[in-house]
Amino acid sequence: MTAVLPWSGRADHHCFGCSPANPGGLRLEFTEDGDTLTAEFTLGRHFESYPGVVHGGITAVICDETMGNLIVLRRGVPALTTSMRTRYVGVVSVGRTYRCVARATSGDALVPASAEILDSHGQVVVTATATYQMQRSSP
């Protein structure tokens, strides 16, 4: 099922990761499936580092967005990243389709989460773990 974030449709929603109104952003769309949130994406050359390779910082953003938005959908309030570790185990290539899958465990003020980016064959190319601080009220 397509996930609808609490701020979707707001005029001031310009998130680099998920706003369709940000022309320079990733424009990620999320799908809920049980206890996971997924974002499928294909990136162009404007997100490139080495020729044909997506910049590692961009893949970290995708993991962070997917994990954080999973927590937002479960808790109803923004989740701010307090720490994140990213491991690059393969190449994310420009022009190919990938899928980021996030999971979160329960927590009170701090919520741990993890994500993987998989290629079209299901091979893991990036992993991430993070901790999120729950914001008390929505912006």
Side-chain angles (χ1 to χ4, degrees), residues 29-129:
E29 294 181 8
F30 302 100
T31 303
E32 292 183 87
D33 185 19
D35 64 343
T36 65
L37 188 67
T38 301
E40 190 170 288
F41 62 94
T42 306
L43 299 174
R45 297 199 66 192
H46 53 286
F47 295 112
E48 178 176 82
S49 61
Y50 297 118
V53 177
V54 174
H55 193 285
I58 297 298
T59 59
V61 168
I62 292 168
C63 290
D64 188 33
E65 281 288 311
T66 309
M67 290 184 287
N69 283 319
L70 173 61
I71 296 167
V72 166
L73 290 166
R74 298 292 181 264
R75 300 286 184 98
V77 295
L80 306 174
T81 312
T82 61
S83 66
M84 184 169 144
R85 180 180 176 149
T86 308
R87 183 170 176 250
Y88 304 95
V89 295
V91 172
V92 176
S93 298
V94 169
R96 294 193 183 158
T97 301
Y98 295 86
R99 183 170 44 103
C100 182
V101 180
R103 293 171 180 76
T105 57
S106 59
D108 290 322
L110 295 175
V111 179
S114 64
E116 297 177 328
I117 295 178
L118 305 126
D119 67 15
S120 62
H121 303 291
Q123 295 296 316
V124 174
V125 292
V126 178
T127 65
T129 56

